[in-house]
Amino acid sequence: MSKMQVKIEGADRIVYISREGCIDLAGAINILKRVIQEFGNQRVLYILEDARRSTLDLSVPEMGVYYDEIKKHLYKFVEVRHAIVLSTPFETAMGVIFQQMVSSLSVYSYACFSTEKAAKEWLKNGKYYGVQFAQRTNKYD
């Protein structure tokens, strides 16, 4: 059984995801749906996912299914940056495979890190980090 927490903390407007336990395809899609439900009204999304206390039970073909689920929601955003902090060689290898899989998406960037500090630095280098978007005009201030 897995546990998950999703929240925005402080003024940095980064969505923090903390997960524990074994994550399979259904669990990964559940996390995605929760993020979209709670933060899908934003034009930019910066996600820091701490997966150091979880394991991944996902095959490469299942990663393709997850990729397709992500693509369905990208039309809502001008930029999504997703940093994941990992601690094991297997999860890191799978993360790098997924990073290569999504590299062709212009709106979505994904990167693996071993520390939260490095992940935050990468997120804050996003093209629109700190930019406030108008709700109705879809233009940024």
Side-chain angles (χ1 to χ4, degrees), residues 31-98:
I31 292 169
L32 173 64
K33 286 181 179 180
R34 182 158 171 204
V35 169
I36 294 300
Q37 179 183 1
E38 292 186 29
F39 307 105
N41 63 337
Q42 299 182 32
R43 302 282 291 142
V44 296
L45 197 55
Y46 298 97
I47 302 165
L48 196 158
E49 183 172 357
D50 186 346
R52 291 175 286 190
R53 291 181 303 278
S54 67
T55 58
L56 190 62
D57 183 17
L58 206 64
S59 67
V60 173
E62 287 174 322
M63 286 171 49
V65 173
Y66 183 62
Y67 167 86
D68 290 339
E69 285 295 315
I70 288 172
K71 274 180 60 173
K72 288 179 189 178
H73 300 284
L74 289 180
Y75 71 91
K76 301 174 183 183
F77 301 99
V78 295
E79 182 180 34
V80 177
R81 285 173 79 86
H82 185 169
I84 188 164
V85 183
L86 302 162
S87 62
T88 70
F90 175 75
E91 273 77 20
T92 302
M94 293 298 279
V96 169
I97 290 169
F98 189 70

